[in-house]
Amino acid sequence: MLGASWGIGHTLSLVVVGAVLVALRAEMPARVADMFELLVAIMLVALGVRAIALAVRQGPVGPSHTHHHGHVVHKHAGATPHVHVGHWTLARRPLIVGAVHGLAGSGALTALVLATLTSTAARITYMTLFGFGSTLGMALLSGLLGWPLARVGTNRTVTRALSIAVGCLSIGLGLFWGYPLTSRLLSN
């Protein structure tokens, strides 16, 4: 479900912004695209810092949180905060991360293909199918990766070490990705 939530967020932002650009017969300005890319880099750094801080703060007992469904309030270990849409539960953070990512890198890829399509219907259909494919792909990928990680997740020491390692990797990637964007945006 986490991968599907990411894919849904990615698809929503891609289709909404893409449809507006198609309707206006416009292209996303390079500076705006760079700003979206920089937002992704900043988000990677923030998520990395968060992963490290949570791993250190939670200690050997692991995460727990309190939330409510209607009037019923309860506390349990594990799962991240989520949003209810009817009877569906969507993870909030992957949904937001997917939405921000949908505005960045894949937007440029989609714009290249959109330029070759002749009708508005074909462009919107392409964006929707691209979004559906990324949602399905992320759901499958997170399911495949989630299965072994769930097995490892029972060992709190390994989980903390993995969270710290992934947090460091995320910070490094965000800085590596964001540095050239920052210099390019500041030079304009």
Side-chain angles (χ1 to χ4, degrees):
M1 281 308 294
L2 294 176
S5 293
W6 180 94
I8 290 167
H10 184 266
T11 299
L12 287 174
S13 66
L14 184 65
V15 170
V16 167
V17 171
V20 168
L21 291 173
V22 166
L24 296 174
R25 299 183 192 280
E27 291 181 11
M28 186 175 293
R31 185 166 175 82
V32 173
D34 283 348
M35 288 172 56
F36 285 143
E37 291 283 340
L38 182 59
L39 182 59
V40 170
I42 291 167
M43 182 178 60
L44 283 170
V45 171
L47 288 171
V49 168
R50 181 183 181 280
I52 293 168
L54 285 175
V56 170
R57 186 176 68 220
Q58 290 169 351
V61 290
S64 67
H65 72 279
T66 304
H67 71 271
H68 60 87
H69 298 274
H71 297 294
V72 178
V73 177
H74 60 278
K75 181 176 182 173
H76 56 86
T80 58
H82 56 273
V83 176
H84 292 274
V85 180
H87 295 296
W88 289 60
T89 301
L90 297 174
R92 187 179 320 143
R93 193 175 324 106
L95 189 70
I96 293 168
V97 169
V100 170
H101 188 258
L103 294 172
S106 58
L109 171 67
T110 304
L112 289 173
V113 174
L114 289 179
T116 64
L117 299 174
T118 56
S119 74
T120 301
R123 290 175 177 150
I124 292 174
T125 301
Y126 171 78
M127 285 186 296
T128 304
L129 289 174
F130 180 86
F132 177 73
S134 28
T135 300
L136 182 62
M138 283 305 293
L140 289 172
L141 183 62
S142 65
L144 288 173
L145 291 175
W147 182 77
L149 287 175
R151 304 297 180 259
V152 170
T154 57
N155 182 327
R156 208 40 219 143
T157 303
V158 172
T159 302
R160 287 180 69 203
L162 191 57
S163 291
I164 291 169
V166 169
C168 290
L169 183 64
S170 181
I171 291 168
L173 182 59
L175 293 173
F176 178 77
W177 191 349
Y179 178 74
L181 293 166
T182 303
S183 59
R184 192 165 53 229
L185 286 168
L186 291 176
S187 69
N188 288 337

